[in-house]
Amino acid sequence: MHNLGVFLFRQGDTAGARAWWIRVATGGHTFALSVLAQLLDQLGERAEAARWRTRLASDENAPGA
């Protein structure tokens, strides 16, 4: 599902990528959490990006945790 988000993002479909990354990030995929936060920052949705980064920071399976 994460790779589908990457594919859609590369095709210019940020809405589709966002939808898939939210789905997979909700399931705990740490890389999707990070990429989703970056996308939200790019879209100017800083508060939403911060919420996902907080979730990433609290994930004990995340790299560096």
Side-chain angles (χ1 to χ4, degrees):
M1 289 192 299
H2 169 70
N3 290 339
L4 179 55
V6 171
F7 174 79
L8 292 170
F9 181 78
R10 289 181 179 164
Q11 298 298 312
D13 183 359
T14 56
R18 177 184 180 161
W20 281 105
W21 285 335
I22 287 172
R23 265 182 97 171
V24 73
T26 300
H29 191 283
T30 55
F31 191 65
L33 283 163
S34 177
V35 174
L36 176 60
Q38 289 175 3
L39 174 63
L40 292 167
D41 269 337
Q42 290 175 0
L43 296 173
E45 298 182 34
R46 307 247 188 280
E48 184 70 13
R51 283 191 283 279
W52 287 103
R53 281 199 178 90
T54 299
R55 184 170 177 170
L56 178 61
S58 67
D59 185 349
E60 62 188 42
N61 296 317

